[in-house]
Amino acid sequence: MKSNAPRYILLGLFSVIIIVIDQVTKVYIMQTMRLHESIVVIPNLFSITYIRNPGAAFGILSTSSGSFRFIFFGLTSVFALGLLGTILLRMPKDDWMGQISVVAILGGAIGNLLDRLRYGEVIDFLDFYIDTYHWPAFNVADSAITVGVIFLILHFAFSFCLVPTPRHSAHVTPLPHGPCFVARSPLGCTAAPLPIALQNRPLDATEDATKE
């Protein structure tokens, strides 16, 4: 546990940085702009627009009742934080990309949760648009969540590999239909059946084929 302390300190610091940047930018917007005021940064593309969003990211559930939103966001926040914490703890200690992605999502989720606890709604101000079409306004926390999710999906996809193992390997549960592969992902290993075309081949030949 002691050897993991520096890693968790760095990850926690990264999450805190996201939360601080998110909260500071929101406070600055509230103190310097009027609600619904918009400042053009790049004409016909990007503006800073002060918006309060009572719903979820990008305006989802904004028209629902206040009591429903309170219960819904309370339950989903507890579930999401617990799930992210579990994923983070199960990741290998050298899996920095996966851990940073999870921590980015965690920091963004906490940033928006603080808004709901303090104001009952989330402060949004990043407004991208083309002509009259506006993408739903968002904030730094939403950006961290979105980037974290994208990187986490890509990381899981490209970290998935297949390693051949004998049918009666001590590391996996034997499958009834011949040799199997161990599917290794950032969250652990699972056994998968060997393709039918290779099941009738000798195991050493299978290993040579996979090495090629």
Side-chain angles (χ1 to χ4, degrees), residues 1-10 93-94 96:
M1 180 63 68
K2 290 182 179 180
S3 61
N4 293 332
R7 174 168 61 105
Y8 288 123
I9 291 175
L10 290 175
K93 63 181 180 180
D94 58 344
W96 281 103

Side-chain angles (χ1 to χ4, degrees), residues 76-95:
T76 55
S77 296
V78 172
F79 174 79
L81 294 177
L83 178 61
L84 290 171
T86 301
I87 293 175
L88 183 62
L89 292 175
R90 292 189 59 184
M91 284 184 165
K93 63 181 180 180
D94 58 344
D95 185 8

Side-chain angles (χ1 to χ4, degrees), residues 90-163:
R90 292 189 59 184
M91 284 184 165
K93 63 181 180 180
D94 58 344
D95 185 8
W96 281 103
M97 179 59 70
Q99 293 170 359
I100 291 175
S101 299
V102 172
V103 168
I105 301 172
L106 191 61
I110 293 175
N112 281 339
L113 179 60
L114 290 176
D115 278 16
R116 298 191 187 284
L117 294 176
R118 296 170 63 187
Y119 314 119
E121 50 195 1
V122 175
I123 309 302
D124 291 329
F125 56 91
L126 300 175
D127 181 18
F128 285 88
Y129 59 95
I130 297 178
D131 291 330
T132 58
Y133 174 78
H134 286 249
W135 182 260
F138 56 100
N139 53 47
V140 174
D142 294 332
S143 302
I145 294 172
T146 302
V147 173
V149 168
I150 292 174
F151 272 87
L152 192 62
I153 292 174
L154 294 176
H155 177 62
F156 278 10
F158 287 102
S159 296
F160 192 94
C161 64
L162 295 177
V163 181

